[in-house]
mmCIF file of all heavy atoms in Angstrom:
data_model
loop_
_atom_site.group_PDB
_atom_site.id
_atom_site.type_symbol
_atom_site.label_atom_id
_atom_site.label_comp_id
_atom_site.label_asym_id
_atom_site.label_seq_id
_atom_site.Cartn_x
_atom_site.Cartn_y
_atom_site.Cartn_z
ATOM 1 N N GLY W 1 0.793 -1.229 0.000
ATOM 2 C CA GLY W 1 0.000 0.000 0.000
ATOM 3 C C GLY W 1 0.818 1.268 0.000
ATOM 4 O O GLY W 1 0.265 2.357 0.029
ATOM 5 N N LEU W 2 2.165 1.146 -0.016
ATOM 6 C CA LEU W 2 3.031 2.321 -0.002
ATOM 7 C C LEU W 2 3.891 2.330 -1.253
ATOM 8 O O LEU W 2 4.060 1.310 -1.935
ATOM 9 C CB LEU W 2 3.930 2.318 1.239
ATOM 10 C CG LEU W 2 3.224 2.289 2.594
ATOM 11 C CD1 LEU W 2 4.241 2.073 3.694
ATOM 12 C CD2 LEU W 2 2.451 3.573 2.817
ATOM 13 N N GLY W 3 4.448 3.476 -1.562
ATOM 14 C CA GLY W 3 5.401 3.546 -2.653
ATOM 15 C C GLY W 3 6.751 3.019 -2.196
ATOM 16 O O GLY W 3 6.893 2.436 -1.121
ATOM 17 N N ASP W 4 7.780 3.245 -3.000
ATOM 18 C CA ASP W 4 9.108 2.759 -2.640
ATOM 19 C C ASP W 4 9.982 3.854 -2.036
ATOM 20 O O ASP W 4 11.155 3.641 -1.782
ATOM 21 C CB ASP W 4 9.798 2.154 -3.865
ATOM 22 C CG ASP W 4 9.854 3.127 -5.036
ATOM 23 O OD1 ASP W 4 9.388 4.265 -4.883
ATOM 24 O OD2 ASP W 4 10.354 2.733 -6.107
ATOM 25 N N GLU W 5 9.391 5.051 -1.780
ATOM 26 C CA GLU W 5 10.153 6.154 -1.221
ATOM 27 C C GLU W 5 9.275 6.955 -0.273
ATOM 28 O O GLU W 5 8.053 6.854 -0.299
ATOM 29 C CB GLU W 5 10.690 7.044 -2.350
ATOM 30 C CG GLU W 5 9.616 7.530 -3.290
ATOM 31 C CD GLU W 5 10.172 8.096 -4.589
ATOM 32 O OE1 GLU W 5 11.392 8.287 -4.687
ATOM 33 O OE2 GLU W 5 9.385 8.341 -5.507
ATOM 34 N N PHE W 6 9.912 7.749 0.595
ATOM 35 C CA PHE W 6 9.156 8.530 1.566
ATOM 36 C C PHE W 6 9.955 9.749 1.983
ATOM 37 O O PHE W 6 11.166 9.834 1.752
ATOM 38 C CB PHE W 6 8.792 7.681 2.794
ATOM 39 C CG PHE W 6 9.975 7.226 3.617
ATOM 40 C CD1 PHE W 6 10.375 7.934 4.737
ATOM 41 C CD2 PHE W 6 10.678 6.087 3.260
ATOM 42 C CE1 PHE W 6 11.459 7.520 5.489
ATOM 43 C CE2 PHE W 6 11.761 5.653 4.011
ATOM 44 C CZ PHE W 6 12.151 6.372 5.126
ATOM 45 N N GLN W 7 9.255 10.713 2.596
ATOM 46 C CA GLN W 7 9.893 11.916 3.122
ATOM 47 C C GLN W 7 10.269 11.688 4.576
ATOM 48 O O GLN W 7 9.434 11.329 5.398
ATOM 49 C CB GLN W 7 8.949 13.108 3.020
ATOM 50 C CG GLN W 7 9.549 14.403 3.542
ATOM 51 C CD GLN W 7 8.533 15.525 3.654
ATOM 52 O OE1 GLN W 7 7.449 15.311 4.190
ATOM 53 N NE2 GLN W 7 8.865 16.689 3.153
ATOM 54 N N GLN W 8 11.538 11.880 4.908
ATOM 55 C CA GLN W 8 12.034 11.747 6.277
ATOM 56 C C GLN W 8 12.331 13.127 6.847
ATOM 57 O O GLN W 8 13.076 13.908 6.241
ATOM 58 C CB GLN W 8 13.314 10.918 6.302
ATOM 59 C CG GLN W 8 13.945 10.788 7.686
ATOM 60 C CD GLN W 8 13.160 9.866 8.586
ATOM 61 O OE1 GLN W 8 13.003 8.693 8.292
ATOM 62 N NE2 GLN W 8 12.646 10.389 9.696
ATOM 63 N N THR W 9 11.739 13.462 7.980
ATOM 64 C CA THR W 9 12.074 14.704 8.679
ATOM 65 C C THR W 9 12.828 14.369 9.964
ATOM 66 O O THR W 9 12.505 13.388 10.641
ATOM 67 C CB THR W 9 10.817 15.531 9.013
ATOM 68 O OG1 THR W 9 9.932 14.747 9.822
ATOM 69 C CG2 THR W 9 10.092 15.943 7.743
ATOM 70 N N GLU W 10 13.827 15.178 10.292
ATOM 71 C CA GLU W 10 14.658 14.930 11.462
ATOM 72 C C GLU W 10 15.015 16.250 12.133
ATOM 73 O O GLU W 10 15.000 17.313 11.495
ATOM 74 C CB GLU W 10 15.948 14.200 11.055
ATOM 75 C CG GLU W 10 15.719 12.808 10.500
ATOM 76 C CD GLU W 10 17.000 12.177 9.984
ATOM 77 O OE1 GLU W 10 17.752 12.864 9.268
ATOM 78 O OE2 GLU W 10 17.244 11.001 10.306
ATOM 79 N N LEU W 11 15.382 16.166 13.410
ATOM 80 C CA LEU W 11 15.813 17.317 14.180
ATOM 81 C C LEU W 11 17.323 17.285 14.400
ATOM 82 O O LEU W 11 17.902 16.217 14.648
ATOM 83 C CB LEU W 11 15.126 17.335 15.553
ATOM 84 C CG LEU W 11 13.627 17.609 15.598
ATOM 85 C CD1 LEU W 11 13.124 17.442 17.021
ATOM 86 C CD2 LEU W 11 13.317 19.012 15.081
ATOM 87 N N TYR W 12 17.924 18.476 14.318
ATOM 88 C CA TYR W 12 19.357 18.618 14.616
ATOM 89 C C TYR W 12 19.549 19.816 15.530
ATOM 90 O O TYR W 12 18.749 20.754 15.536
ATOM 91 C CB TYR W 12 20.171 18.778 13.326
ATOM 92 C CG TYR W 12 20.238 17.514 12.510
ATOM 93 C CD1 TYR W 12 19.240 17.216 11.582
ATOM 94 C CD2 TYR W 12 21.273 16.605 12.691
ATOM 95 C CE1 TYR W 12 19.280 16.041 10.844
ATOM 96 C CE2 TYR W 12 21.325 15.432 11.953
ATOM 97 C CZ TYR W 12 20.325 15.155 11.038
ATOM 98 O OH TYR W 12 20.368 13.992 10.317
ATOM 99 N N LEU W 13 20.627 19.775 16.299
ATOM 100 C CA LEU W 13 20.922 20.839 17.251
ATOM 101 C C LEU W 13 22.297 21.418 16.929
ATOM 102 O O LEU W 13 23.298 20.699 16.861
ATOM 103 C CB LEU W 13 20.910 20.302 18.680
ATOM 104 C CG LEU W 13 20.869 21.348 19.796
ATOM 105 C CD1 LEU W 13 19.506 22.049 19.810
ATOM 106 C CD2 LEU W 13 21.131 20.707 21.152
ATOM 107 N N LEU W 14 22.333 22.732 16.728
ATOM 108 C CA LEU W 14 23.582 23.448 16.485
ATOM 109 C C LEU W 14 24.022 24.121 17.779
ATOM 110 O O LEU W 14 23.290 24.943 18.335
ATOM 111 C CB LEU W 14 23.384 24.495 15.381
ATOM 112 C CG LEU W 14 24.505 25.522 15.176
ATOM 113 C CD1 LEU W 14 25.799 24.837 14.746
ATOM 114 C CD2 LEU W 14 24.078 26.574 14.160
ATOM 115 N N ASP W 15 25.202 23.766 18.271
ATOM 116 C CA ASP W 15 25.786 24.385 19.469
ATOM 117 C C ASP W 15 26.645 25.562 19.023
ATOM 118 O O ASP W 15 27.638 25.376 18.317
ATOM 119 C CB ASP W 15 26.627 23.358 20.231
ATOM 120 C CG ASP W 15 27.063 23.865 21.599
ATOM 121 O OD1 ASP W 15 27.580 24.997 21.672
ATOM 122 O OD2 ASP W 15 26.900 23.144 22.587
ATOM 123 N N THR W 16 26.267 26.779 19.412
ATOM 124 C CA THR W 16 26.988 27.960 18.928
ATOM 125 C C THR W 16 28.369 28.096 19.566
ATOM 126 O O THR W 16 29.249 28.753 19.004
ATOM 127 C CB THR W 16 26.183 29.243 19.200
ATOM 128 O OG1 THR W 16 26.007 29.406 20.611
ATOM 129 C CG2 THR W 16 24.813 29.169 18.529
ATOM 130 N N ALA W 17 28.580 27.479 20.726
ATOM 131 C CA ALA W 17 29.888 27.574 21.384
ATOM 132 C C ALA W 17 30.915 26.689 20.688
ATOM 133 O O ALA W 17 32.048 27.107 20.433
ATOM 134 C CB ALA W 17 29.769 27.199 22.858
ATOM 135 N N THR W 18 30.530 25.455 20.373
ATOM 136 C CA THR W 18 31.457 24.507 19.748
ATOM 137 C C THR W 18 31.316 24.472 18.229
ATOM 138 O O THR W 18 32.148 23.863 17.550
ATOM 139 C CB THR W 18 31.221 23.094 20.290
ATOM 140 O OG1 THR W 18 29.886 22.671 19.931
ATOM 141 C CG2 THR W 18 31.357 23.070 21.811
ATOM 142 N N GLN W 19 30.263 25.124 17.706
ATOM 143 C CA GLN W 19 29.956 25.141 16.274
ATOM 144 C C GLN W 19 29.736 23.732 15.723
ATOM 145 O O GLN W 19 29.980 23.453 14.539
ATOM 146 C CB GLN W 19 31.048 25.861 15.478
ATOM 147 C CG GLN W 19 31.256 27.303 15.905
ATOM 148 C CD GLN W 19 32.276 28.038 15.045
ATOM 149 O OE1 GLN W 19 32.619 27.599 13.954
ATOM 150 N NE2 GLN W 19 32.769 29.171 15.549
ATOM 151 N N SER W 20 29.262 22.838 16.585
ATOM 152 C CA SER W 20 29.003 21.447 16.176
ATOM 153 C C SER W 20 27.507 21.223 15.981
ATOM 154 O O SER W 20 26.680 21.916 16.576
ATOM 155 C CB SER W 20 29.537 20.483 17.234
ATOM 156 O OG SER W 20 28.879 20.703 18.480
ATOM 157 N N VAL W 21 27.176 20.250 15.140
ATOM 158 C CA VAL W 21 25.789 19.893 14.851
ATOM 159 C C VAL W 21 25.600 18.411 15.138
ATOM 160 O O VAL W 21 26.426 17.588 14.731
ATOM 161 C CB VAL W 21 25.417 20.194 13.384
ATOM 162 C CG1 VAL W 21 23.965 19.817 13.105
ATOM 163 C CG2 VAL W 21 25.650 21.664 13.054
ATOM 164 N N ARG W 22 24.510 18.072 15.824
ATOM 165 C CA ARG W 22 24.240 16.664 16.099
ATOM 166 C C ARG W 22 22.751 16.366 15.999
ATOM 167 O O ARG W 22 21.919 17.258 16.169
ATOM 168 C CB ARG W 22 24.764 16.267 17.485
ATOM 169 C CG ARG W 22 24.224 17.093 18.636
ATOM 170 C CD ARG W 22 24.968 16.757 19.934
ATOM 171 N NE ARG W 22 24.665 17.692 21.001
ATOM 172 C CZ ARG W 22 23.689 17.513 21.898
ATOM 173 N NH1 ARG W 22 22.926 16.432 21.852
ATOM 174 N NH2 ARG W 22 23.484 18.414 22.848
ATOM 175 N N TYR W 23 22.456 15.095 15.750
ATOM 176 C CA TYR W 23 21.067 14.628 15.652
ATOM 177 C C TYR W 23 20.406 14.663 17.021
ATOM 178 O O TYR W 23 21.025 14.362 18.040
ATOM 179 C CB TYR W 23 21.038 13.209 15.087
ATOM 180 C CG TYR W 23 19.703 12.523 15.230
ATOM 181 C CD1 TYR W 23 18.643 12.836 14.379
ATOM 182 C CD2 TYR W 23 19.489 11.571 16.223
ATOM 183 C CE1 TYR W 23 17.409 12.215 14.507
ATOM 184 C CE2 TYR W 23 18.262 10.946 16.363
ATOM 185 C CZ TYR W 23 17.228 11.266 15.502
ATOM 186 O OH TYR W 23 16.003 10.655 15.640
ATOM 187 N N ILE W 24 19.126 15.029 17.026
ATOM 188 C CA ILE W 24 18.343 15.047 18.254
ATOM 189 C C ILE W 24 17.070 14.225 18.026
ATOM 190 O O ILE W 24 16.333 14.476 17.062
ATOM 191 C CB ILE W 24 17.961 16.489 18.656
ATOM 192 C CG1 ILE W 24 19.186 17.248 19.149
ATOM 193 C CG2 ILE W 24 16.870 16.500 19.721
ATOM 194 C CD1 ILE W 24 19.752 16.726 20.457
ATOM 195 N N GLY W 25 16.825 13.259 18.909
ATOM 196 C CA GLY W 25 15.595 12.482 18.785
ATOM 197 C C GLY W 25 15.780 11.063 19.277
ATOM 198 O O GLY W 25 16.883 10.658 19.688
ATOM 199 N N PRO W 26 14.695 10.280 19.252
ATOM 200 C CA PRO W 26 14.776 8.879 19.655
ATOM 201 C C PRO W 26 15.722 8.096 18.742
ATOM 202 O O PRO W 26 15.968 8.476 17.590
ATOM 203 C CB PRO W 26 13.333 8.375 19.518
ATOM 204 C CG PRO W 26 12.486 9.605 19.459
ATOM 205 C CD PRO W 26 13.332 10.662 18.846
ATOM 206 N N GLU W 27 16.209 6.967 19.253
ATOM 207 C CA GLU W 27 17.125 6.146 18.460
ATOM 208 C C GLU W 27 16.419 5.573 17.246
ATOM 209 O O GLU W 27 16.976 5.526 16.149
ATOM 210 C CB GLU W 27 17.689 5.017 19.329
ATOM 211 C CG GLU W 27 18.703 4.146 18.608
ATOM 212 C CD GLU W 27 19.304 3.085 19.514
ATOM 213 O OE1 GLU W 27 19.131 3.187 20.747
ATOM 214 O OE2 GLU W 27 19.950 2.157 18.982
ATOM 215 N N ARG W 28 15.177 5.149 17.432
ATOM 216 C CA ARG W 28 14.386 4.622 16.320
ATOM 217 C C ARG W 28 13.237 5.588 16.045
ATOM 218 O O ARG W 28 12.475 5.924 16.952
ATOM 219 C CB ARG W 28 13.833 3.238 16.653
ATOM 220 C CG ARG W 28 14.888 2.172 16.857
ATOM 221 C CD ARG W 28 14.232 0.841 17.182
ATOM 222 N NE ARG W 28 13.335 0.426 16.108
ATOM 223 C CZ ARG W 28 12.466 -0.597 16.235
ATOM 224 N NH1 ARG W 28 12.374 -1.254 17.380
ATOM 225 N NH2 ARG W 28 11.697 -0.929 15.216
ATOM 226 N N VAL W 29 13.119 6.027 14.821
ATOM 227 C CA VAL W 29 12.081 6.995 14.499
ATOM 228 C C VAL W 29 11.590 6.735 13.083
ATOM 229 O O VAL W 29 12.356 6.374 12.195
ATOM 230 C CB VAL W 29 12.616 8.439 14.647
ATOM 231 C CG1 VAL W 29 13.741 8.704 13.676
ATOM 232 C CG2 VAL W 29 11.507 9.463 14.470
ATOM 233 N N GLY W 30 10.275 6.909 12.885
ATOM 234 C CA GLY W 30 9.677 6.744 11.572
ATOM 235 C C GLY W 30 9.860 7.991 10.722
ATOM 236 O O GLY W 30 10.731 8.822 10.986
ATOM 237 N N PRO W 31 9.013 8.161 9.716
ATOM 238 C CA PRO W 31 9.198 9.280 8.777
ATOM 239 C C PRO W 31 9.092 10.661 9.408
ATOM 240 O O PRO W 31 9.763 11.588 8.972
ATOM 241 C CB PRO W 31 8.081 9.064 7.752
ATOM 242 C CG PRO W 31 7.743 7.609 7.849
ATOM 243 C CD PRO W 31 7.941 7.251 9.279
ATOM 244 N N ASP W 32 8.247 10.818 10.445
ATOM 245 C CA ASP W 32 8.000 12.146 11.019
ATOM 246 C C ASP W 32 8.838 12.321 12.279
ATOM 247 O O ASP W 32 8.425 11.932 13.377
ATOM 248 C CB ASP W 32 6.513 12.324 11.342
ATOM 249 C CG ASP W 32 5.640 12.057 10.128
ATOM 250 O OD1 ASP W 32 6.006 12.535 9.037
ATOM 251 O OD2 ASP W 32 4.616 11.365 10.261
ATOM 252 N N GLY W 33 9.997 12.930 12.141
ATOM 253 C CA GLY W 33 10.910 13.041 13.272
ATOM 254 C C GLY W 33 11.143 14.447 13.757
ATOM 255 O O GLY W 33 12.152 14.708 14.426
ATOM 256 N N ASP W 34 10.215 15.376 13.448
ATOM 257 C CA ASP W 34 10.440 16.770 13.853
ATOM 258 C C ASP W 34 9.224 17.390 14.524
ATOM 259 O O ASP W 34 9.096 18.616 14.556
ATOM 260 C CB ASP W 34 10.839 17.616 12.650
ATOM 261 C CG ASP W 34 9.705 17.793 11.646
ATOM 262 O OD1 ASP W 34 8.751 16.990 11.666
ATOM 263 O OD2 ASP W 34 9.768 18.745 10.843
ATOM 264 N N ASN W 35 8.338 16.567 15.074
ATOM 265 C CA ASN W 35 7.104 17.095 15.663
ATOM 266 C C ASN W 35 7.338 17.481 17.121
ATOM 267 O O ASN W 35 7.110 16.692 18.042
ATOM 268 C CB ASN W 35 5.985 16.057 15.548
ATOM 269 C CG ASN W 35 4.633 16.620 15.945
ATOM 270 O OD1 ASN W 35 4.447 17.838 15.985
ATOM 271 N ND2 ASN W 35 3.708 15.750 16.260
ATOM 272 N N VAL W 36 7.785 18.711 17.330
ATOM 273 C CA VAL W 36 8.094 19.212 18.668
ATOM 274 C C VAL W 36 6.821 19.736 19.317
ATOM 275 O O VAL W 36 6.159 20.625 18.785
ATOM 276 C CB VAL W 36 9.157 20.324 18.611
ATOM 277 C CG1 VAL W 36 9.417 20.888 20.009
ATOM 278 C CG2 VAL W 36 10.445 19.795 18.004
ATOM 279 N N LEU W 37 6.475 19.197 20.476
ATOM 280 C CA LEU W 37 5.311 19.654 21.239
ATOM 281 C C LEU W 37 5.665 20.797 22.173
ATOM 282 O O LEU W 37 4.853 21.690 22.411
ATOM 283 C CB LEU W 37 4.722 18.499 22.053
ATOM 284 C CG LEU W 37 4.308 17.238 21.302
ATOM 285 C CD1 LEU W 37 3.718 16.236 22.288
ATOM 286 C CD2 LEU W 37 3.310 17.555 20.204
ATOM 287 N N HIS W 38 6.875 20.757 22.726
ATOM 288 C CA HIS W 38 7.275 21.779 23.707
ATOM 289 C C HIS W 38 8.788 21.893 23.700
ATOM 290 O O HIS W 38 9.512 20.899 23.654
ATOM 291 C CB HIS W 38 6.798 21.389 25.109
ATOM 292 C CG HIS W 38 7.246 22.344 26.184
ATOM 293 N ND1 HIS W 38 6.616 23.540 26.428
ATOM 294 C CD2 HIS W 38 8.279 22.277 27.078
ATOM 295 C CE1 HIS W 38 7.214 24.170 27.413
ATOM 296 N NE2 HIS W 38 8.230 23.431 27.830
ATOM 297 N N LEU W 39 9.278 23.138 23.740
ATOM 298 C CA LEU W 39 10.707 23.409 23.846
ATOM 299 C C LEU W 39 10.933 24.263 25.078
ATOM 300 O O LEU W 39 10.360 25.356 25.206
ATOM 301 C CB LEU W 39 11.210 24.133 22.597
ATOM 302 C CG LEU W 39 12.689 24.522 22.565
ATOM 303 C CD1 LEU W 39 13.586 23.301 22.696
ATOM 304 C CD2 LEU W 39 13.022 25.281 21.279
ATOM 305 N N ASP W 40 11.742 23.759 25.986
ATOM 306 C CA ASP W 40 12.047 24.469 27.226
ATOM 307 C C ASP W 40 12.652 25.839 26.925
ATOM 308 O O ASP W 40 13.511 25.972 26.047
ATOM 309 C CB ASP W 40 13.021 23.625 28.052
ATOM 310 C CG ASP W 40 13.502 24.348 29.295
ATOM 311 O OD1 ASP W 40 12.660 24.811 30.076
ATOM 312 O OD2 ASP W 40 14.739 24.467 29.462
ATOM 313 N N ASP W 41 12.186 26.863 27.644
ATOM 314 C CA ASP W 41 12.656 28.232 27.399
ATOM 315 C C ASP W 41 14.166 28.364 27.557
ATOM 316 O O ASP W 41 14.810 29.168 26.870
ATOM 317 C CB ASP W 41 11.964 29.213 28.352
ATOM 318 C CG ASP W 41 10.491 29.389 28.029
ATOM 319 O OD1 ASP W 41 10.111 29.164 26.868
ATOM 320 O OD2 ASP W 41 9.721 29.758 28.946
ATOM 321 N N ASP W 42 14.756 27.597 28.476
ATOM 322 C CA ASP W 42 16.200 27.658 28.710
ATOM 323 C C ASP W 42 16.991 26.709 27.813
ATOM 324 O O ASP W 42 18.220 26.640 27.918
ATOM 325 C CB ASP W 42 16.511 27.354 30.178
ATOM 326 C CG ASP W 42 15.905 28.392 31.122
ATOM 327 O OD1 ASP W 42 15.869 29.575 30.725
ATOM 328 O OD2 ASP W 42 15.456 28.021 32.220
ATOM 329 N N GLY W 43 16.294 25.971 26.961
ATOM 330 C CA GLY W 43 16.973 25.077 26.040
ATOM 331 C C GLY W 43 17.527 23.819 26.671
ATOM 332 O O GLY W 43 18.446 23.196 26.129
ATOM 333 N N LYS W 44 16.945 23.393 27.804
ATOM 334 C CA LYS W 44 17.453 22.194 28.475
ATOM 335 C C LYS W 44 16.853 20.911 27.919
ATOM 336 O O LYS W 44 17.511 19.869 27.893
ATOM 337 C CB LYS W 44 17.184 22.281 29.979
ATOM 338 C CG LYS W 44 17.933 23.414 30.663
ATOM 339 C CD LYS W 44 17.613 23.457 32.155
ATOM 340 C CE LYS W 44 18.394 24.575 32.848
ATOM 341 N NZ LYS W 44 18.058 24.652 34.294
ATOM 342 N N PHE W 45 15.596 20.964 27.474
ATOM 343 C CA PHE W 45 14.946 19.745 26.978
ATOM 344 C C PHE W 45 13.847 20.124 25.998
ATOM 345 O O PHE W 45 13.423 21.282 25.905
ATOM 346 C CB PHE W 45 14.354 18.933 28.131
ATOM 347 C CG PHE W 45 13.151 19.567 28.779
ATOM 348 C CD1 PHE W 45 11.852 19.255 28.354
ATOM 349 C CD2 PHE W 45 13.295 20.491 29.804
ATOM 350 C CE1 PHE W 45 10.748 19.850 28.939
ATOM 351 C CE2 PHE W 45 12.191 21.093 30.397
ATOM 352 C CZ PHE W 45 10.911 20.768 29.965
ATOM 353 N N LEU W 46 13.369 19.130 25.268
ATOM 354 C CA LEU W 46 12.175 19.290 24.451
ATOM 355 C C LEU W 46 11.319 18.042 24.594
ATOM 356 O O LEU W 46 11.799 16.983 25.008
ATOM 357 C CB LEU W 46 12.531 19.567 22.985
ATOM 358 C CG LEU W 46 13.278 18.517 22.158
ATOM 359 C CD1 LEU W 46 12.366 17.397 21.659
ATOM 360 C CD2 LEU W 46 13.942 19.176 20.953
ATOM 361 N N VAL W 47 10.041 18.190 24.251
ATOM 362 C CA VAL W 47 9.111 17.071 24.221
ATOM 363 C C VAL W 47 8.606 16.944 22.787
ATOM 364 O O VAL W 47 8.224 17.943 22.165
ATOM 365 C CB VAL W 47 7.918 17.291 25.184
ATOM 366 C CG1 VAL W 47 6.939 16.124 25.117
ATOM 367 C CG2 VAL W 47 8.431 17.480 26.612
ATOM 368 N N MET W 48 8.634 15.733 22.253
ATOM 369 C CA MET W 48 8.269 15.525 20.861
ATOM 370 C C MET W 48 7.517 14.203 20.702
ATOM 371 O O MET W 48 7.540 13.347 21.588
ATOM 372 C CB MET W 48 9.519 15.495 19.974
ATOM 373 C CG MET W 48 10.436 14.318 20.265
ATOM 374 S SD MET W 48 11.905 14.265 19.168
ATOM 375 C CE MET W 48 11.148 13.916 17.574
#
């Protein structure tokens, strides 16, 4: 019932101090990986 391709969305975090970028999210994730419900004002955590 599906095609052979899909759109994958993912979250990444850029640290301005180290200028590094890393993946953010569960270890296993389906196509929709960027649905953020809440982002802590101080940037300590998010809920997705």
Side-chain angles (χ1 to χ4, degrees):
L2 302 171
D4 55 2
E5 54 195 350
F6 65 96
Q7 180 190 48
Q8 177 73 61
T9 58
E10 295 174 314
L11 291 174
Y12 290 87
L13 194 69
L14 169 63
D15 190 311
T16 62
T18 63
Q19 301 184 17
S20 61
V21 180
R22 56 189 169 92
Y23 167 77
I24 289 293
E27 183 177 346
R28 296 180 59 191
V29 63
D32 305 316
D34 68 340
N35 189 18
V36 177
L37 304 181
H38 176 80
L39 179 59
D40 174 54
D41 290 335
D42 297 325
K44 295 179 179 178
F45 70 93
L46 64 79
V47 179
M48 65 178 293

